């Protein structure tokens, strides 16, 4: 007689030691560790602005431009990386991406001109990091899970914050005590160290090990490799671009990137230093943001499984905007309770927007959702790149970052309104992959 669904699930999830843990959770764990290791490169740009300005005399606008190239490529590469994962497999794409990150970061040690910063940190690290973007987490979640997707998305998104928590204090200590070059080498080594874990432990699809996705009632065969990865990424973009929700999701996520990676992650440390705060103390505050980011993002994944994603996004953006309006009044030479409250509050909200955004992409675009999210993520990074550049220019022109804080707060209010007008789409009418 055929097995019952329950019996099949027990057989699938029982390990040799008798534990009933689905292989999907091990894949998620490897993905988590991989993103943590790759997060080192995201911790460094805000720490480089002042040292590079002092060492080479480059303007903050020039350095911000290199960071903006990195951030833009981080986003623009993501949809093509998602398509490449469909063509060549997750393991190969991620292993190559980590190697490119290591090469780009390592070469910065020998740079002597601003164009080399653009090439090494902007181009190479940007391309590598784009292939390690949140589209990677979305692809793993979509393939290995049919239940708990919101929770898993939150956990994997929080991995980047965990990496920031681990690396920021170490890198800031290196920059302050030993120059910025040892920090760049540390980033390169961290990326290389993760490659063996990816190659040996990560699997592309549940069918590779004869399992159903976690929570699935039926076996899902592994799809054939998709030819023409670049063409598919562009085709999906054109299809999604004909729908209103895509532009609303892209617009809100652009503001998300502008108010996090582009603003706080890039300019918080130099802005705090402008007010007399030591670099190590400011970097430690960013690390604390990483602590609460983990809590906030996992909680957001849990909320996304239970509540309306549009309303969650509206609440997240509104609260973020309010907090940014207060930040200029909180910056001071030392850390005080109101600043700690901002750090905790902002940390809880940092990337809490990701799980509901992924859920809305999945709801709207079905099998194409990972690639669509890659394009939405591209808008996130374009927004981040724009503010990373404009923040540096504003600091050069006005001698302060205040105008950028206020403008970003207003943008977050607009994002809250945009999230509320996204129309729901019935499950049976999602756009199917071509």
């Amino acid at each position: 007689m055929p097995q019952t669904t329950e019996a099949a699930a027990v057989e699938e999830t029982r390990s040799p030691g008798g534990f009933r843990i689905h292989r999907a959770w091990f894949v998620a764990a490897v993905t988590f560790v991989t993103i943590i290791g790759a997060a080192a490169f995201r911790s460094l740009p805000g720490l480089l602005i002042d040292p590079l300005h002092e060492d080479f005399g480059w303007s903050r606008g020039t350095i911000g431009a290199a960071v903006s190239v990195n951030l833009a490529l981080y986003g623009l590469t993501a949809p093509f990386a998602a398509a490449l994962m469909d063509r060549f497999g997750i393991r190969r794409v991620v292993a190559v991406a980590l190697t490119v990150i290591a090469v780009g970061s390592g070469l910065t040690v020998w740079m002597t001109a601003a164009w080399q910063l653009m090439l090494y940190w902007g181009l190479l690290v940007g391309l590598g990091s784009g292939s390690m973007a949140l589209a990677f987490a979305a692809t793993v979640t979509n393939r290995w899970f049919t239940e708990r997707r919101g929770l898993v998305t939150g956990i994997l998104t929080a991995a980047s914050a965990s990496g920031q928590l681990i690396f920021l204090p170490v890198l800031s200590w290196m920059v302050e005590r030993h120059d910025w070059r040892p920090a760049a080498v540390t980033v390169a080594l961290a990326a290389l160290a993760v490659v063996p874990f990816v190659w040996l432990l990560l699997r592309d699809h549940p069918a590779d090990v004869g399992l159903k996705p976690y929570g699935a009632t039926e076996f899902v065969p592994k799809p054939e490799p998709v030819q023409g990865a670049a063409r598919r990424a562009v085709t999906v973009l054109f299809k999604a671009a004909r729908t209103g929700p895509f532009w609303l999701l892209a617009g809100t996520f652009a503001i998300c990137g502008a108010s996090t990676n582009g603003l706080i992650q890039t300019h918080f440390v130099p802005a705090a230093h402008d007010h007399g705060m030591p670099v190590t103390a400011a970097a430690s505050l960013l690390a604390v943001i990483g602590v609460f980011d983990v809590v906030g993002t996992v909680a957001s994944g849990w909320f996304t499984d239970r509540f309306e994603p549009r309303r969650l996004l509206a609440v997240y953006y509104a609260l973020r905007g309010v907090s940014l309006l207060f930040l200029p009044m909180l910056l001071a030479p030392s850390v005080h309770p109101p600043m700690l409250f901002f750090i905790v509050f902002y940390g809880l909200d940092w990337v809490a927007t990701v799980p509901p955004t992924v859920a809305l992409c999945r709801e709207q675009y079905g099998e194409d959702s990972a690639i669509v999210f890659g394009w939405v993520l591209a808008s996130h990074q374009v927004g981040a790149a724009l503010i990373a550049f404009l923040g540096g220019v504003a600091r050069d022109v006005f001698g302060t970052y205040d105008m950028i804080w206020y403008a970003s707060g207003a943008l977050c209010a607009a994002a809250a309104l945009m999230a509320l007008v996204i129309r729901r789409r019935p499950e049976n009418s999602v756009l199917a992959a071509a």
Side-chain angles (χ1 to χ4, degrees):
M1 292 182 66
Q3 289 179 310
T4 65
T5 300
E6 182 178 355
V10 170
E11 180 179 331
E12 286 181 1
T13 60
R14 187 185 299 276
S15 70
F19 296 102
R20 298 179 182 181
I21 302 176
H22 196 285
R23 179 67 175 267
W25 294 108
F26 291 104
V27 172
V30 173
T31 304
F32 186 90
V33 172
T34 302
I35 296 174
I36 284 179
F41 66 84
R42 297 189 64 196
S43 303
L44 195 55
L47 304 177
L48 290 180
I49 293 178
D50 285 339
L52 292 179
H53 175 70
E54 293 170 3
D55 274 13
F56 299 104
W58 301 335
S59 71
R60 290 176 175 84
T62 298
I63 300 167
V67 176
S68 72
V69 170
N70 176 291
L71 293 172
L73 286 176
Y74 176 90
L76 293 171
T77 304
F80 296 98
L84 286 171
M85 289 177 189
D86 288 340
R87 174 67 179 88
F88 298 106
I90 297 173
R91 285 196 304 169
R92 292 179 182 178
V93 172
V94 173
V96 170
L98 288 166
T99 303
V100 171
I101 290 170
V103 170
S105 182
L107 287 174
T108 58
V109 173
W110 291 282
M111 68 183 177
T112 56
W115 68 265
Q116 293 170 328
L117 178 65
M118 297 279 189
L119 175 63
Y120 302 151
W121 195 265
L123 180 64
L124 292 180
V125 177
L127 289 174
S129 62
S131 301
M132 287 293 303
L134 293 172
F136 169 40
T139 301
V140 170
T141 303
N142 288 347
R143 290 186 182 185
W144 281 89
F145 294 84
T146 58
E147 293 182 356
R148 302 290 187 268
R149 280 177 167 174
L151 177 63
V152 175
T153 301
I155 292 172
L156 295 182
T157 303
S160 181
S162 300
Q164 177 176 295
L165 166 65
I166 293 169
F167 288 106
L168 252 179
V170 176
L171 294 177
S172 65
W173 178 82
M174 286 184 176
V175 169
E176 195 166 45
R177 298 291 183 88
H178 302 287
D179 193 28
W180 59 270
R181 291 175 178 81
V185 172
T186 300
V187 169
L189 294 178
L192 282 179
V194 179
V195 173
F197 289 95
V198 171
W199 194 255
L200 296 175
L201 301 176
L202 195 62
R203 292 295 179 267
D204 292 329
H205 197 277
D208 289 342
V209 289
L211 295 179
K212 296 181 290 189
Y214 178 83
T217 57
E218 297 180 359
F219 183 82
V220 178
K222 183 177 181 179
E224 293 295 321
V226 179
Q227 302 293 331
R231 183 173 63 252
R232 184 185 175 206
V234 174
T235 300
V236 170
L237 171 63
F238 285 140
K239 183 192 299 185
R242 292 197 294 268
T243 66
F246 172 79
W247 294 105
L248 291 169
L249 287 168
T252 56
F253 225 42
I255 293 171
C256 179
S259 57
T260 53
N261 301 62
L263 183 66
I264 297 295
Q265 190 160 28
T266 304
H267 294 294
F268 178 81
V269 171
H273 190 55
D274 282 348
H275 286 77
M277 184 179 293
V279 170
T280 304
S284 297
L285 289 177
L286 275 186
V288 174
I289 285 180
V291 175
F292 288 95
D293 183 14
V294 174
V295 177
T297 308
V298 173
S300 179
W302 187 87
F303 289 144
T304 301
D305 287 332
R306 290 161 176 79
F307 300 106
E308 167 61 63
R310 297 176 307 162
R311 295 179 181 177
L312 289 175
L313 284 179
V315 171
Y316 296 156
Y317 285 121
L319 293 176
R320 182 183 300 177
V322 170
S323 66
L324 283 173
L325 296 177
F326 283 98
L327 181 57
M329 295 179 282
L330 302 179
L331 291 170
S334 60
V335 179
H336 49 89
M339 173 58 79
L340 288 176
F341 179 80
F342 169 85
I343 292 297
V344 172
F345 188 87
Y346 208 82
L348 291 172
D349 196 283
W350 182 272
V351 285
T353 55
V354 173
T357 301
V358 171
L360 287 170
C361 286
R362 188 182 301 120
E363 175 188 292
Q364 297 283 339
Y365 304 105
E367 293 298 320
D368 288 337
S369 62
I371 296 176
V372 172
F373 179 70
W375 286 112
V376 172
L377 178 63
S379 71
H380 181 281
Q381 294 308 116
V382 169
L386 185 61
I387 293 298
F389 172 67
L390 291 178
V393 172
R395 174 61 178 80
D396 288 334
V397 173
F398 301 108
T400 178
Y401 286 100
D402 288 359
M403 182 180 296
I404 296 295
W405 305 132
Y406 294 135
S408 297
L411 286 173
C412 288
L417 295 175
M418 292 166 65
L420 289 175
V421 300
I422 298 173
R423 294 194 307 272
R424 297 300 306 274
R425 190 178 184 89
E427 290 187 8
N428 60 0
S429 63
V430 295
L431 296 177

